Amino acid sequence: MSGLVREIRFLASDRAALLWLGIALLVACVSVVLGLREIATQRVVLNELIEIDSAEREVLDTLYQDWGDVAYYTFHLTWDSPSDFAFAALGQRDTSPWKHQIRALALEGQIYETDAENPDFALIGRFDFAFAANLLAPLLLILLLHDLRSAERTAGRYELLSATAASQGSPWFARAALRVGALTICLIGPLWAGGLLGGAGASTLVPASLVVILHIAFWWGVCALVDRYGWSSPVNLTALVGVWLAFAVIVPAAIKISVESIVPLPDGGEILLTQREAVNDAWDLPKAATMEPFIERHPEWADYTEVSQPFEWKWYYAFQQVGDQTVEPLSQAYRDGRIRRDRLAGSLAWLSPPALAERAMQALADTNVAATLTYEQRVRAFHKALREYYYPRLFRGEPVSTVSLQQRPQFRGKES
Amino acid sequence: MSELLRAKDLTKAFRSNTALNGLNLSVNEKEIVCLLGANGAGKTTTINLFLGFLEPTSGAAIVDGTEVTADLKRARSKLGYVPEQVSLYPTLTGLENLDYFVKLGGGHRDESHLRGLLDQVGLDQGAADQKVGAYSKGMRQKIGLAIALAKGARALLLDEPLSGLDPSAANEFCRLLRQLADNGAAVLMATHDLFRARELADRIGIMKSGTLVEVLSPESLDQAALEQIYLNHMHDDETVEEA
Amino acid sequence: MIGAIIGKELTEIRRDGRALGLLGIVGLLLVLGLTTGLATENAREREVLQAQADDAAVFLEQGEKNPHSAAHFSRMAHKPVAPLASFDPGVAAYMGQVIWLEAHSRNPAMFRAAEDAPGLSRLENFSIAGVLTLILPLLVVLLGYGSIAGERERGTLRQLVGSGASPTRLLLGKFTVIAGVGFAVLAAAVAISTTFSLLSLSESGYSGGDLALRGLSLLLVYGLYIVCLTALTLLVSLLVAEARTALLLLLGIWVVTVVGLPRLSASIAEQVYPSPDSASFWEDTRASLQANRPPSDSEDYVAVEREVVERALGRELREGELDDLEINRGALRLEVSEVIDTEAYNAAYAELFANYERQKNLRQMLSIFSPAIALQHLSRTLSGTDVSAHEHFSVEAEIQRNNIVRAMNEDMLLNGAGESFGYLAPPEFWESVPEFDYRPPSVALAWSEGIRDLTILLLWGLAAVAAMFWFGGNRVRV
């Protein structure tokens, strides 16, 4: 125990070490506060939108007498509410949409709509806990540990210390362990404080803490390995920063480049162009050209395909759906490609511990690519339900009624 | 005889500690003055004040009529300096080091002149083209002296230049110094080495706790007498502490 | 004398294997950055050109059709790849690259490459600009941390100053060498990317001269960055007793100012001036569109009607003539609503971009703590890949949208009298609709955009150099 007290006193008198630990604590606190605020803002925005959304629908429901008009003018908000742990890893939420206003028109034209976030900031990335713990903390650990041995060597105490301590285990281990422990506490402390404040449970905080600990342990191993070569402090430091650059920047960049070249994606613009063409052409084509592919998908309406007027709503919605149908293969390929890209990146991320830790945290926070794709699936399912609600009313020409409107599907946020 | 180095009531205090207390000393051309004293006696402080590495708390260090604080550049241009450890660039050769220091001091000498200087300080030609990393201490000191010579300095400041030199290297170094003084240089040398000081110096100053306590002329003393005087001063110190 | 210092420093670097190894690594990274940049940008450029050609073909071959129906289909405006995107891709991947020039609606750009990117941490956004911003400081720090502190430790500083060397000149010599090496790396990177861009300068609409000016401007701003870095490195090396402390401190500063602060500043700016979410944006825009529409019997409405018809006919209308004209009234209504709505759309988008500007300005203020932030702004601006370049494109595309829709509406208005929406334009009509000939902004716009960032970078450089000489003058601690 006296050994520990002595090491704590050493640490307390090492001003540089205290500076790095202070920075780590500050960085972790700031990242947690910023993350919590960001998530709080997203929730406020979402709640406002949900309120406006249902209020607007109430007004609209009294305005139109025709199901075609109702379907055309009624928007439905869909959303992906942030999880309670999302504050720690904002992940893809800044570049991928987490809310859409959907109506019963062709979905492909609606689902790629993007938010108006500042692209400059999306490029830079967010200052969230994941960034602090996965990219900044290793650097601070390097600054903390790089000269444990070399400093003693410079001071001429190394041989003496090694010889004296040989029987009681390495003094370096205790010294390093104390610093690593202190850094880990500086990171995990604010995480738990923020997590408990934001309502995240132990089910995410414990695994997230484990990720932090394992990741820090990896960098401790790297520092220990480099320190064994007996180089001078500056050489150690240079080498370690080099290792950080390799793992945190170069390997992820290489992963990104190789993933993108191994898994090519259909051009997003092509989906939209094809869909737009299909929908637009329908106006000028014989009505049957629209109804045939529609009936293939919905044989239950085969008896209602007669369109006598130049414009009929059921035909309008049919060609909207046919538009979606035309690009289905493309859209599916696009989606499959994104999944394959993400999976491949997940496997390759084992080559870069910071990337791996980042992905693990995004997964815990439900802010990863998979979560984005799940949300997109839920939007598609809701859109399908919406169409299936309108079709009987449009095709049978039922009158609009309050009772019927009450049966319209409502989007429900996922349970958190 | 012109006075090349002069300390006038020279005082340097670091917070509560007075490192040098009202030093009055001058060194004339063709003269070698050795400062003797224990560590912390104020010898190196004196040299640092002449070089302008430190600013005096009061009094003045004057080099050939120029007060150091008034015109640092001019004062330094007249000074040659050989520290205890002549520090050189290990990746450069002896000749390259000499060339670099000379150029930075504002001078320019062609290569044959520099080789001549190295020859003069007793460094053989083979060594001049070797990287300094492999030099012995004596060889480094010679380069240090060559640097001082190359700029034609009239006043030389030497801070323990002999420590760590083997006896024959030390002898040779002293012979060189005498030769330089005879050619007109003023030499102020801080040292621990009583023997060499008596051999070499024209005057010996004994310093204690920042004060010049005695100035001796070595011709009038034999080695034993000098040692006795020196030890008496050191002993005083102990009795003061005991009291 | 400076020559001697420079010569000696270079000799030391040359004879020290580590420095050469370091330069090798930096070179390798730059080559990697350049190849990936060129590969991605070339692929994107091909995609854009292909998509443009496809879009034109579909539009021109749509045959006999109602012009308003065609206006709904309309055209796509493709943003050309900025030629220096291979140097600094900027926000390209995070902003849509295609705008649908649809009747009735000013659409935002669609398709951001970022959405198909595998989920990593954003540091992997590898480009020459990124390498330079992140790694130039490391290069300079590693070359310079020991240049004063190390000489002090070895005692050579004392020796030098003692033998009359001017500390100021010594500092200047070291500064020249370190900044020079950094600048050589920079110049190579900029020269190679600019040359490659010049070679692949196809139909992007940028001129070779403009591109060269951009290259020179980038050299200037990154050069200033190097000046800041070198002066700061030497300053720390001057103030700190030991070389290893200097290195530790400098790397700490690097972690905070180059890795941490640029992100932190972005997060702060986003929270102070939140970007509107798209739902609210459209909500507000729809509301202001409604508010901006005058009733059809109001004087304002009639005035716009008159303006639209006069423009279509190319002559002024006599009093009362409007009511008697044989024109397609449906088309008139459409064009009037376009003219009126455009104002509201432009105001909404102007506000959106103004908010980006406010965010940028706040972030700019935080570059008081990190010159890397000002540099990031300038680099993107000068490469033509920043938000303002996108705004320029968005505004031009909107003008094009107005032109296309107007051409359609006027055709129907003049030729479809009495036919209502049954009027069909002949197949050859589509060729008369003007093509989108987008001229990207010149470097002058970039400079007017970047002047404040430049000022900040300049102030950083001046302050760092002044501090360096202040602490490294004749009274330098040896």
Side-chain angles (χ1 to χ4, degrees):
Chain A
M1 204 55 214
S2 68
L4 182 64
V5 172
R6 188 184 58 227
E7 290 299 338
I8 290 177
R9 278 188 13 223
F10 274 142
L11 180 60
S13 62
D14 185 345
R15 276 190 303 167
L18 292 179
L19 176 67
W20 308 134
L21 287 173
I23 290 178
L25 185 65
L26 187 74
V27 155
C29 288
V30 169
S31 70
V32 165
V33 169
L34 287 174
L36 284 171
R37 286 194 49 166
E38 169 80 36
I39 293 304
T41 313
Q42 289 189 4
R43 291 214 168 103
V44 168
V45 166
L46 211 46
N47 288 338
E48 276 173 13
L49 288 175
I50 292 171
E51 235 167 74
I52 293 172
D53 181 58
S54 54
E56 265 191 354
R57 258 201 310 279
E58 264 171 42
V59 175
L60 285 171
D61 285 351
T62 61
L63 284 183
Y64 302 104
Q65 315 308 320
D66 193 318
W67 282 110
D69 284 318
V70 174
Y72 188 86
Y73 289 105
T74 316
F75 284 88
H76 298 261
L77 185 72
T78 68
W79 65 92
D80 182 23
S81 8
S83 74
D84 290 329
F85 186 65
F87 76 92
L90 297 167
Q92 312 301 317
R93 280 182 85 81
D94 58 342
T95 52
S96 300
W98 46 270
K99 56 188 174 329
H100 282 300
Q101 284 188 303
I102 294 296
R103 48 183 175 161
L105 305 188
L107 181 62
E108 297 292 339
Q110 308 178 57
I111 206 161
Y112 302 110
E113 224 169 68
T114 47
D115 252 331
E117 295 248 5
N118 191 331
D120 230 348
F121 299 165
L123 169 70
I124 296 159
R126 283 304 169 80
F127 195 86
D128 55 6
F129 179 79
F131 172 72
N134 301 330
L135 294 170
L136 286 179
L139 282 170
L140 293 169
L141 187 78
I142 286 168
L143 297 178
L144 271 172
L145 295 187
H146 76 281
D147 69 346
L148 284 189
R149 270 171 222 248
S150 46
E152 295 289 354
R153 221 175 266 125
T154 315
R157 291 188 297 259
Y158 180 73
E159 274 75 19
L160 191 63
L161 254 170
S162 304
T164 319
S167 55
Q168 345 166 335
S170 166
W172 320 116
F173 182 79
R175 200 163 291 181
L178 187 68
R179 281 163 167 72
V180 171
L183 181 74
T184 313
I185 291 169
C186 287
L187 295 173
I188 291 183
L191 176 69
W192 276 78
L196 295 176
L197 221 70
S203 60
T204 45
L205 288 176
V206 170
S209 308
L210 210 63
V211 169
V212 173
I213 291 167
L214 285 175
H215 185 230
I216 292 290
F218 166 80
W219 285 101
W220 182 9
V222 172
C223 291
L225 199 69
V226 168
D227 208 18
R228 282 171 81 132
Y229 286 97
W231 298 323
S232 68
S233 308
V235 177
N236 277 355
L237 203 46
T238 312
L240 285 167
V241 170
V243 175
W244 180 87
L245 272 178
F247 279 131
V249 181
I250 297 168
V251 173
I255 293 176
K256 184 176 180 233
I257 294 159
S258 38
V259 163
E260 285 175 357
S261 64
I262 292 171
V263 185
L265 278 188
D267 179 17
E270 212 183 317
I271 300 179
L272 205 87
L273 191 71
T274 314
Q275 186 253 16
R276 187 176 59 127
E277 238 182 291
V279 169
N280 192 65
D281 285 351
W283 287 98
D284 306 318
L285 291 174
K287 306 284 188 274
T290 295
M291 291 321 248
E292 265 167 40
F294 178 78
I295 290 306
E296 268 173 43
R297 190 64 62 90
H298 288 284
E300 67 270 29
W301 304 116
D303 298 340
Y304 298 85
T305 52
E306 167 113 4
V307 180
S308 50
Q309 303 293 312
F311 179 88
E312 277 186 38
W313 279 116
K314 63 179 182 188
W315 162 72
Y316 178 81
Y317 289 101
F319 77 62
Q320 293 287 330
Q321 174 171 339
V322 171
D324 277 350
Q325 273 170 231
T326 331
V327 291
E328 231 163 48
L330 266 179
S331 167
Q332 190 60 40
Y334 184 62
R335 187 183 151 73
D336 290 347
R338 285 170 71 193
I339 294 173
R340 279 186 55 212
R341 275 190 176 185
D342 189 49
R343 289 216 181 113
L344 188 58
S347 320
L348 291 176
W350 286 93
L351 299 173
S352 156
L356 195 64
E358 171 79 35
R359 287 181 60 91
M361 285 195 192
Q362 287 184 13
L364 285 170
D366 252 343
T367 54
N368 53 4
V369 174
T372 307
L373 290 167
T374 310
Y375 167 60
E376 196 184 300
Q377 253 346 63
R378 289 174 57 232
V379 175
R380 286 182 190 281
F382 176 70
H383 185 258
K384 185 162 179 259
L386 208 56
R387 282 188 291 112
E388 285 173 354
Y389 163 82
Y390 282 120
Y391 286 155
R393 292 159 177 81
L394 286 165
F395 280 82
R396 294 203 192 104
E398 287 177 12
V400 178
S401 75
T402 322
V403 178
S404 195
L405 277 171
Q406 277 165 355
Q407 292 164 359
R408 187 168 49 191
Q410 299 287 326
F411 185 83
R412 305 224 178 277
K414 66 167 186 265
E415 286 158 36
S416 54
Chain B
M1 283 259 265
S2 70
E3 184 185 65
L4 290 179
L5 294 170
R6 165 125 197 255
K8 202 170 122 192
D9 294 327
L10 195 58
T11 301
K12 178 68 192 178
F14 298 101
R15 294 201 188 112
S16 59
N17 171 31
T18 306
L20 192 65
N21 192 2
L23 176 72
N24 281 299
L25 178 74
S26 56
V27 185
N28 299 322
E29 63 178 353
K30 299 192 173 185
E31 189 182 26
I32 298 180
V33 174
C34 285
L35 293 176
L36 287 173
N39 288 333
K43 306 185 302 278
T44 302
T45 305
T46 306
I47 288 176
N48 282 346
L49 285 164
F50 273 113
L51 284 165
F53 291 160
L54 296 175
E55 280 194 47
T57 313
S58 65
I62 298 159
V63 179
D64 197 13
T66 306
E67 197 177 323
V68 174
T69 45
D71 190 346
L72 186 60
K73 235 173 150 176
R74 192 178 150 82
R76 275 182 183 159
S77 72
K78 295 175 179 178
L79 288 172
Y81 168 59
V82 182
E84 180 177 355
Q85 286 284 347
V86 172
S87 307
L88 301 168
Y89 298 97
T91 52
L92 303 185
T93 67
L95 186 68
E96 284 171 344
N97 265 295
L98 178 60
D99 181 50
Y100 180 60
F101 278 98
V102 170
K103 278 186 183 146
L104 254 71
H108 180 77
R109 300 282 184 273
D110 57 33
E111 192 185 322
S112 61
H113 182 92
L114 293 178
R115 285 189 189 279
L117 278 173
L118 290 175
D119 197 43
Q120 193 187 335
V121 298
L123 196 79
D124 67 64
Q125 290 302 323
D129 292 319
Q130 272 174 20
K131 284 196 194 150
V132 163
Y135 273 26
S136 72
K137 177 155 188 208
M139 290 160 88
R140 286 162 183 271
Q141 298 303 98
K142 284 175 182 169
I143 299 267
L145 207 55
I147 293 169
L149 288 178
K151 71 186 275 200
R154 299 192 59 206
L156 292 179
L157 298 165
L158 299 99
D159 195 359
E160 308 279 5
L162 303 174
S163 74
L165 289 191
D166 64 61
S168 73
N171 265 342
E172 200 184 329
F173 194 79
C174 287
R175 186 185 54 74
L176 270 168
L177 280 183
R178 186 74 258 172
Q179 200 181 318
L180 289 173
D182 291 346
N183 289 340
V187 178
L188 179 64
M189 177 165 110
T191 182
H192 285 302
D193 189 334
L194 268 65
F195 173 72
R196 304 268 177 219
R198 202 190 72 84
E199 295 268 286
L200 188 63
D202 298 308
R203 280 184 293 145
I204 294 175
I206 297 178
M207 296 192 73
K208 202 184 82 184
S209 312
T211 310
L212 183 65
V213 286
E214 189 159 358
V215 179
L216 302 161
S217 179
E219 291 137 39
S220 57
L221 294 165
D222 62 10
Q223 188 66 29
L226 176 62
E227 236 165 90
Q228 193 54 52
I229 295 170
Y230 183 72
L231 286 175
N232 281 344
H233 281 299
M234 298 302 115
H235 187 66
D236 275 357
D237 213 27
E238 283 162 28
T239 49
V240 170
E241 272 170 27
E242 279 162 24
Chain C
M1 179 162 126
I2 298 271
I5 300 171
I6 294 172
K8 171 253 171 188
E9 296 288 330
L10 285 176
T11 309
E12 278 198 314
I13 290 178
R14 213 179 53 238
R15 289 185 188 164
D16 179 3
R18 281 182 302 165
L20 283 185
L22 185 70
L23 275 174
I25 291 170
V26 172
L28 200 70
L29 286 175
L30 286 174
V31 170
L32 195 64
L34 185 70
T35 14
T36 60
L38 284 176
T40 353
E41 300 314 322
N42 280 347
R44 260 193 347 138
E45 176 138 21
R46 273 197 307 277
E47 270 178 28
V48 167
L49 292 176
Q50 183 59 46
Q52 260 172 341
D54 289 350
D55 185 58
V58 170
F59 185 80
L60 293 176
E61 287 157 21
Q62 57 188 330
E64 200 176 55
K65 196 179 212 168
N66 174 267
H68 185 63
S69 181
H72 268 282
F73 178 67
S74 195
R75 297 288 305 266
M76 296 281 198
H78 294 266
K79 188 176 174 205
V81 177
L84 279 171
S86 60
F87 177 83
D88 190 340
V91 300
Y94 295 89
M95 279 222 120
Q97 297 306 300
V98 187
I99 297 182
W100 183 7
L101 308 176
E102 190 189 10
H104 306 307
S105 178
R106 177 171 176 182
N107 293 314
M110 301 174 293
F111 292 106
R112 304 183 294 184
E115 270 169 60
D116 351 311
L120 294 163
S121 66
R122 307 277 159 88
L123 263 195
E124 70 276 4
N125 291 322
F126 209 64
S127 66
I128 298 186
V131 173
L132 290 175
T133 316
L134 195 67
I135 293 174
L136 267 182
L138 286 181
L139 180 71
V140 168
V141 162
L142 291 175
L143 288 176
Y145 74 93
S147 58
I148 305 293
E151 295 239 15
R152 185 186 294 127
E153 258 178 280
R154 274 188 291 181
T156 41
L157 184 62
R158 199 180 161 80
Q159 182 100 20
L160 276 173
V161 176
S163 45
S166 147
T168 311
R169 291 198 185 173
L170 189 66
L171 213 53
L172 201 62
K174 285 173 181 294
F175 182 91
T176 312
V177 169
I178 298 168
V181 172
F183 201 76
V185 170
L186 165 71
V190 173
I192 294 172
S193 9
T194 313
T195 312
F196 270 107
S197 299
L198 272 173
L199 293 177
S200 61
L201 195 73
S202 55
E203 291 150 54
S204 60
Y206 286 86
S207 75
D210 188 65
L211 189 58
L213 279 177
R214 284 172 187 273
L216 285 175
S217 311
L218 284 170
L219 267 185
L220 175 75
V221 297
Y222 277 91
L224 260 176
Y225 185 53
I226 292 175
V227 167
C228 294
L229 297 170
T230 312
L232 284 174
T233 302
L234 288 175
L235 181 64
V236 170
S237 194
L238 271 166
L239 293 178
V240 163
E242 290 176 57
R244 63 192 192 100
T245 323
L247 180 60
L248 186 64
L249 202 60
L250 284 164
L251 286 179
I253 295 174
W254 174 76
V255 170
V256 172
T257 57
V258 181
V259 185
L261 276 178
R263 253 197 214 222
L264 181 62
S265 60
S267 285
I268 291 175
E270 177 65 44
Q271 296 211 341
V272 175
Y273 297 111
S275 301
D277 63 282
S278 62
S280 326
F281 174 75
W282 287 111
E283 207 71 58
D284 295 348
T285 306
R286 276 195 290 269
S288 71
L289 284 170
Q290 284 297 346
N292 195 49
R293 285 175 191 148
S296 56
D297 51 1
S298 67
E299 269 178 39
D300 286 348
Y301 189 90
V302 176
V304 179
E305 273 190 329
R306 201 183 165 83
E307 181 195 319
V308 164
V309 175
E310 284 180 346
R311 205 168 52 173
L313 292 171
R315 64 171 176 85
E316 287 194 11
L317 288 178
R318 290 183 307 276
E319 202 57 45
E321 189 187 358
L322 183 59
D323 298 331
D324 308 331
L325 275 175
E326 286 260 321
I327 51 172
N328 187 319
R329 297 279 157 182
L332 177 58
R333 268 201 310 283
L334 288 172
E335 184 56 19
V336 168
S337 80
E338 283 298 337
V339 170
I340 291 171
D341 285 357
T342 294
E343 281 173 32
Y345 275 125
N346 289 352
Y349 275 87
E351 173 52 28
L352 181 68
F353 283 107
N355 194 51
Y356 292 154
E357 186 70 22
R358 280 192 288 274
Q359 292 175 330
K360 184 183 164 187
N361 290 344
L362 182 79
R363 196 165 174 257
Q364 205 166 46
M365 270 163 52
L366 294 169
S367 59
I368 295 166
F369 303 105
S370 165
I373 298 173
L375 180 75
Q376 282 182 338
H377 284 161
L378 280 168
S379 174
R380 272 167 224 160
T381 305
L382 291 170
S383 302
T385 54
D386 65 339
V387 177
S388 73
H390 185 86
E391 183 180 7
H392 183 272
F393 172 73
S394 165
V395 168
E396 294 292 314
E398 175 61 8
I399 293 171
Q400 173 67 2
R401 184 179 80 85
N402 297 151
N403 289 341
I404 291 184
V405 175
R406 181 182 142 202
M408 311 275 187
N409 287 337
E410 284 184 352
D411 177 62
M412 188 161 138
L413 181 124
L414 298 174
N415 305 321
E419 286 184 82
S420 184
F421 284 81
Y423 166 74
L424 300 178
E428 64 276 8
F429 166 68
W430 314 114
E431 290 184 25
S432 71
V433 177
E435 267 295 310
F436 186 29
D437 181 25
Y438 178 59
R439 295 281 129 203
S442 74
V443 71
L445 178 84
W447 271 120
S448 68
E449 191 68 30
I451 193 74
R452 266 194 305 186
D453 289 298
L454 182 73
T455 313
I456 290 170
L457 207 53
L458 213 56
L459 288 177
W460 257 98
L462 286 175
V465 169
M468 175 182 84
F469 281 121
W470 173 260
F471 287 103
N474 276 336
R475 306 266 176 258
V476 63
R477 188 156 64 100
V478 295

